[in-house]
Every structure is written in C-alpha cells, then in structure tokens.
C-alpha cells in the first residue's frame, strides 16, 4: 500500500528553450472530505493546458459532454484538456449508490506543451475521458518518486519536469495499450499462443479453437481487455520480428515474410508499409 502525504507544488520555467514540448505547471496530492468541491471546466480559460487526476482512495465524480456521470473509485482517473465541457466533484455520501463516506483522495498533474496533445488524443481514443490504472502500476510509482523528491525540498534539474512528464505519459500509454498481465485466463492464453506460434499460425480461428471458444467471442473479449483485436496484436508481433530479421540477417524479404507468418511477400510488404511507411527492402537498405 502506498504511503503518501498531501501538498501541492508549482514550477517556474527554467532553461533557455523558448517553447519546451512539455511543461510541468503544478502537481499535488489532495484530500477532499465533507466540503464543497465542484469544478466546472467549461469556464476555466485561465486554467489552460492539460489536467490528469487519479483516484487513490474514496470516490469522485466526473461528467463530460453531457454523458452520464462516472464514479472515480481507486484506480480510475480522468485526462482533460482545459477548458472543456466537463466537470468533476466530490459527491455526497450515499451507501445505497456505492459512494462511501470517506472523501476523495487523488493526485493530479497539470501541464502544457505541444507534445502533450498526441498523448492526450491517444489516451482519449483508447479509453475515453476516464481511464483505469492499477494503483501499483509503473506510472503511479513514478509520480510518487517525484512527489517524494518535492516533499524533501529537493530542487529539480533543468528540464527534469519535462523528462518526468514524458516518462509518465509514455508509461501511461504503455499500461493502457499492453494486454494486461493479470487479465482473464482466455486473453492470457491467447497472448501466449500468439507469442509462441505467430510464425505458423494460420488465422485467429485457429487460436480460438485452441482456447475452446468461437472466433467472435475471442475477438470481443480480447478487444474489451486490451483495446485491440487479436489480429492487430498478432500482426504487430509479426512486424516486430520482421524488423529484427531485416536488421540482423541477410535473409531475403520473401523468406522473412514466411518466417514471420505472412501469406506471401506482397501481403507482407503491404502490411509493413502500413506500419513503417516504407517497403521491407527500403527499411533493410537504409541501415546499410
């Protein structure tokens, strides 16, 4: 269980870079309990940039774009670009609705910069306004290492705030995109089979048959837990292995296609170009 204190820290711009790609504005850990805590984001033009808030204990409520409210219990957070048509608040305790009388404890990151937009848009495309992370996950641990440093009054080095933000956002995406190590037995079995048999696997139906489910059921469950289809996951494994072979062997493109499980060279080249923007031959030759 994470042990933490409470507090907020703001940051001045350091360094000579005119427009840093990521700028850490402020962060903190807060507890709201038996008080009025209700923020409407549509009118917060003076509070620009991006806000990411993550629940550690208790429960908060987030509403966006006229949608139904979403309870933010431990592990749930929201990622917003200010100002936006949304709000978040501390609800009144209501045991019948599953809202405990323990307030809302959370950490937040407030930041800006042009490099934040791709992270924001990707997270929104993967999970919508709210997302889930295990409290024991790497991004949460990274946040608290930074928070502990600030609690100890240690100064940040030049661009350390930007470095921290990039690592946090990259780890967040990694957690949201990767198949969960502790997912359902079905997804774990499918992932293991894809990793070990991608070169000879004839199709997703073959993996579904091994898992004793229909292809449609496997696809639905896999997508619900990982955010991608089994075919997307399998294809990525094959392309990554193709990169290794292209960079480390003198094998022909045709033999690499077969070794990676693609039907033929033409289909391999089509898929490869979709991922890399060039042909396998061009990729292989540009490193020579």
């Amino acid at each position: 269980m994470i042990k933490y204190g409470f507090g907020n820290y703001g940051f001045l711009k350091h360094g000579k870079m005119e427009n840093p790609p990521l700028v850490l504005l402020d962060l903190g850990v807060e507890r709201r309990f038996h008080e009025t805590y209700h923020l409407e984001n549509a009118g917060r033009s003076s509070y620009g940039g991006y806000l990411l808030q993550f629940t550690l204990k208790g429960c908060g409520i987030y509403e966006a774009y006229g949608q139904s409210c979403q309870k933010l219990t431990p592990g749930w957070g929201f990622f917003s670009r200010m100002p936006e048509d949304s709000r978040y608040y501390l609800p009144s305790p209501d045991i019948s609705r599953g809202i405990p009388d323990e307030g809302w404890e959370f950490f937040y990151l407030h930041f800006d910069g042009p490099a934040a937009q791709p992270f924001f848009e990707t997270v929104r495309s993967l999970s919508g306004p709210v997302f889930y992370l295990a409290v024991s996950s790497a991004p949460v641990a990274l946040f608290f290492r930074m928070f502990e440093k600030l609690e100890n009054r240690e100064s940040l080095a030049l661009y350390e705030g930007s470095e921290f933000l990039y690592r946090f956002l990259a780890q967040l995406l990694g957690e949201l995109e990767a198949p969960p190590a502790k997912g359902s037995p079905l997804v774990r079995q499918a992932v293991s089979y894809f990793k070990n048999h991608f070169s000879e696997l004839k199709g997703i139906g073959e993996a579904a048959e091994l898992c004793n489910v229909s292809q449609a059921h496997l696809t639905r469950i896999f997508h619900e837990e990982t955010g991608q289809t089994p075919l997307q996951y399998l294809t990525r494994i094959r392309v990554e292995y193709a990169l290794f072979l292209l960079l480390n062997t003198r094998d022909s493109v045709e033999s690499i296609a077969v070794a990676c499980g693609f039907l033929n060279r033409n289909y391999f080249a089509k898929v490869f170009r979709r991922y890399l923007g060039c042909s396998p031959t061009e990729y292989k030759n540009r490193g020579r």
Side-chain angles (χ1 to χ4, degrees):
M1 185 66 180
I2 299 174
K3 294 182 179 180
Y4 53 85
F6 300 95
N8 301 283
Y9 299 90
F11 304 93
L12 297 174
K13 180 181 178 296
H14 290 285
K16 296 182 179 180
M17 186 181 295
E18 285 295 326
N19 297 297
L22 286 170
V23 181
L24 183 59
L25 301 174
D26 53 278
L27 62 78
V29 180
E30 296 188 0
R31 185 186 189 217
R32 302 293 178 170
F33 186 70
H34 285 180
E35 62 185 284
T36 300
Y37 179 67
H38 189 132
L39 291 164
E40 296 279 353
N41 296 325
R44 302 178 75 185
S45 56
S46 62
Y47 190 82
Y50 299 82
L51 175 66
L52 186 148
Q53 193 157 304
F54 180 81
T55 303
L56 299 165
K57 186 178 179 182
C59 178
I61 301 293
Y62 177 86
E63 297 181 39
Y65 314 116
Q67 300 174 358
S68 59
C69 62
Q70 302 182 63
K71 290 193 300 182
L72 300 178
T73 52
W76 287 93
F78 68 84
F79 193 176
S80 297
R81 178 168 51 196
M82 301 295 181
E84 68 170 20
D85 184 15
S86 67
R87 62 177 179 159
Y88 58 98
Y89 54 91
L90 174 68
S92 300
D94 188 341
I95 302 301
S96 65
R97 294 171 53 217
I99 301 174
D101 186 16
E102 57 181 348
W104 187 14
E105 295 182 10
F106 55 84
F107 74 69
Y108 75 90
L109 287 166
H110 180 210
F111 53 95
D112 206 351
Q117 182 174 342
F119 285 106
F120 171 76
E121 292 177 347
T122 306
V123 170
R124 280 294 181 95
S125 69
L126 288 169
S127 60
V130 301
F131 62 88
Y132 179 80
L133 277 180
V135 176
S136 59
S137 64
V140 176
L142 178 64
F143 172 87
F144 278 105
R145 286 197 295 273
M146 170 61 79
F147 188 74
E148 182 180 13
K149 182 171 186 174
L150 297 170
E151 283 187 307
N152 293 332
R153 301 299 181 188
E154 297 180 36
S155 299
L156 300 189
L158 286 176
Y159 306 110
E160 187 176 354
S162 298
E163 177 190 7
F164 158 74
L165 273 176
Y166 185 87
R167 291 181 61 199
F168 180 92
L169 293 170
Q171 289 182 6
L172 172 64
L173 278 185
E175 292 284 340
L176 296 180
E177 291 188 46
K182 296 182 180 180
S184 68
L186 172 60
V187 171
R188 292 203 308 271
Q189 184 180 12
V191 165
S192 176
Y193 190 72
F194 292 150
K195 288 181 176 179
N196 292 311
H197 301 281
F198 65 87
S199 61
E200 69 264 21
L201 188 62
K202 298 297 187 293
I204 302 304
E206 184 179 319
E209 184 177 352
L210 175 76
C211 297
N212 296 314
V213 297
S214 69
Q215 182 173 336
H217 181 73
L218 174 61
T219 298
R220 180 176 63 82
I221 299 300
F222 199 97
H223 188 268
E224 286 177 357
E225 294 192 21
T226 70
Q228 56 189 315
T229 66
L231 182 58
Q232 289 171 331
Y233 182 76
L234 174 62
T235 301
R236 189 174 187 88
I237 292 175
R238 287 172 166 168
V239 173
E240 287 176 344
Y241 187 55
L243 295 180
F244 172 79
L245 295 179
L246 288 167
L247 292 174
N248 293 280
T249 74
R250 295 186 178 275
D251 296 347
S252 67
V253 171
E254 185 171 359
S255 65
I256 289 175
V258 173
C260 295
F262 291 99
L263 294 176
N264 53 58
R265 173 176 176 154
N266 289 338
Y267 180 64
F268 169 50
K270 180 180 179 181
V271 172
F272 193 92
R273 184 176 291 278
R274 189 168 71 239
Y275 276 85
L276 278 298
C278 64
S279 71
T281 301
E282 291 169 338
Y283 182 84
K284 187 180 184 72
N285 291 338
R286 72 185 184 185
R288 298 302 182 191

